[in-house]
């Protein structure tokens, strides 16, 4: 299985009395996408771990496209969750494409999950503008490479959005560190993911849907409908777009902590 890069947060004082949490990023993301919420989440009394998936940023991956399917990546998450939880319950969060991956672990894995949160994710393949961008990336990436893709598409978008220079430099380094094979295979996966809501609903794990009101991935309306099918709550974070943990960290951390504490209380009573 190999070694996975991770960020870990623990309570500043006292011990981790509550069940731990594992946070999984999206396709072009990394563990750093959760930095703004990690310590706040840990202060509620739990260990919180964010990872880079196989082939992402600081986690190495093979040149085999089969290693980057949702089921294959979901198996990684299942094993990692067992390690984080020491065999006990674990709270799981999947952001964007990470939601499509983590639900494989919830549905088909062996870990006992205390709860499951889909953050800015959807029931099936990503639609709309992001689907168009993903298809364009698939067409360009094998020919021009990651560096050229950064220069012609992603860097201009970051500059136009007013992203600070130091963040742009990090984003460039992160993108270039990704496995090209992994990026291509995962992009195919996000464009072809089946709807597994019914399977997820049958598992019975406490589930929560959270998204930004301006999400440009899966529309908030589609995520609300997914929550309805799962028989659970959809929280729409004011002012946030596709990355609530970055754009509204305090609101996101408070929502996750509330949900996790309520899930633990129900499971322990």
């Amino acid at each position: 299985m190999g070694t996975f890069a991770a960020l870990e947060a623990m309570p500043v004082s006292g011990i981790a009395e509550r069940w731990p949490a594992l946070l999984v990023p999206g396709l072009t993301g990394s563990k750093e996408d959760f930095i703004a919420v990690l310590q706040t989440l840990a202060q509620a009394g739990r260990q919180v771990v964010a990872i880079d998936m196989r082939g992402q940023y600081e986690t190495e991956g093979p040149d085999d496209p089969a290693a980057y399917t949702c089921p294959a990546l979901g198996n990684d998450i299942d094993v990692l969750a067992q390690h984080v939880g020491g065999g006990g319950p674990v709270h799981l969060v999947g952001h964007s494409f990470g939601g499509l991956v983590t639900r494989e672990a919830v549905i088909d894995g062996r870990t006992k999950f205390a709860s499951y949160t889909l953050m800015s994710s959807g029931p099936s393949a990503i639609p709309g503008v992001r689907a168009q961008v993903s298809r364009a990336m698939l067409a360009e990436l094998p020919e021009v490479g990651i560096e050229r893709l950064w220069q012609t598409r992603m860097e201009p978008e970051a500059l136009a959005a007013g992203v600070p220079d130091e963040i742009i430099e990090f984003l460039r380094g992160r993108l270039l560190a990704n496995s090209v094979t992994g990026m291509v295979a995962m992009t195919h996966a996000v464009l072809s993911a089946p709807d597994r809501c019914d399977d997820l609903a049958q598992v019975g794990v406490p589930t929560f849907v959270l998204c930004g009101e301006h999400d440009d991935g899966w529309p908030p309306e589609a995520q609300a409908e997914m929550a309805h099918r799962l028989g659970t709550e959809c929280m729409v974070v004011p002012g946030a777009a596709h990355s609530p943990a970055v754009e509204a960290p305090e609101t996101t951390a408070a929502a996750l902590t509330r949900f996790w504490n309520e899930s633990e209380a129900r499971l322990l009573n």
Side-chain angles (χ1 to χ4, degrees):
M1 179 176 166
T3 302
F4 285 73
L7 293 173
E8 179 189 48
M10 298 288 287
V12 174
S13 59
I15 61 173
E17 298 176 318
R18 294 184 176 275
W19 293 334
L22 176 62
L23 315 180
V24 181
L27 197 160
T28 57
S30 68
K31 58 192 179 301
E32 284 76 14
D33 293 342
F34 298 106
I35 281 180
V37 298
L38 279 179
Q39 196 57 56
T40 304
L41 292 172
Q43 282 307 103
R46 56 176 51 90
Q47 175 196 25
V48 183
V49 177
I51 64 155
D52 294 337
M53 286 192 287
R54 182 192 300 271
Q56 285 185 327
Y57 190 29
E58 295 179 324
T59 295
E60 294 184 358
D63 290 328
D64 179 6
Y68 302 100
T69 65
C70 286
L73 296 170
N75 183 68
D76 289 343
I77 301 306
D78 184 31
V79 175
L80 287 167
Q82 292 177 55
H83 174 74
V84 169
V90 177
H91 298 285
L92 182 62
V93 177
H95 173 242
S96 192
F97 175 66
L100 302 179
V101 169
T102 50
R103 71 178 184 182
E104 299 292 322
V106 176
I107 295 168
D108 298 323
R110 295 172 295 171
T111 303
K112 180 180 180 182
F113 289 106
S115 75
Y116 177 44
T117 300
L118 288 152
M119 180 187 293
S120 299
S121 191
S124 57
I126 196 165
V129 173
R130 283 187 179 254
Q132 296 173 15
V133 171
S134 295
R135 292 190 187 96
M137 188 173 76
L138 278 180
E140 296 175 19
L141 191 55
E143 295 184 10
V144 304
I146 292 181
E147 175 74 43
R148 184 64 176 166
L149 192 66
W150 166 258
Q151 293 173 349
T152 60
R153 182 181 295 274
M154 298 182 177
E155 184 178 30
E157 290 176 358
L159 290 170
V163 177
D165 290 346
E166 63 273 17
I167 302 299
I168 288 180
E169 187 60 29
F170 165 74
L171 294 175
R172 176 183 179 277
R174 177 172 74 176
L175 183 71
L176 297 185
N178 275 267
S179 160
V180 176
T181 300
M183 284 191 67
V184 170
M186 288 189 283
T187 303
H188 277 295
V190 80
L191 287 169
S192 61
D195 189 323
R196 299 203 69 188
C197 274
D198 292 343
D199 296 331
L200 181 58
Q202 292 297 316
V203 176
V205 172
T207 303
F208 181 40
V209 175
L210 185 149
C211 66
E213 68 169 326
H214 305 301
D215 198 330
D216 61 350
W218 289 266
E221 298 80 10
Q223 296 185 59
E225 172 60 23
M226 178 177 67
H228 176 73
R229 292 175 60 192
L230 295 171
T232 191
E233 171 189 4
C234 177
M235 177 175 175
V236 179
V237 179
H242 191 59
S243 300
V246 175
E247 298 144 356
E250 293 185 6
T251 303
T252 299
L256 288 173
T257 298
R258 173 186 61 82
F259 173 61
W260 292 346
N261 290 349
E262 289 175 353
S263 298
E264 290 183 19
R266 287 196 299 268
L267 291 170
L268 290 171
N269 289 334

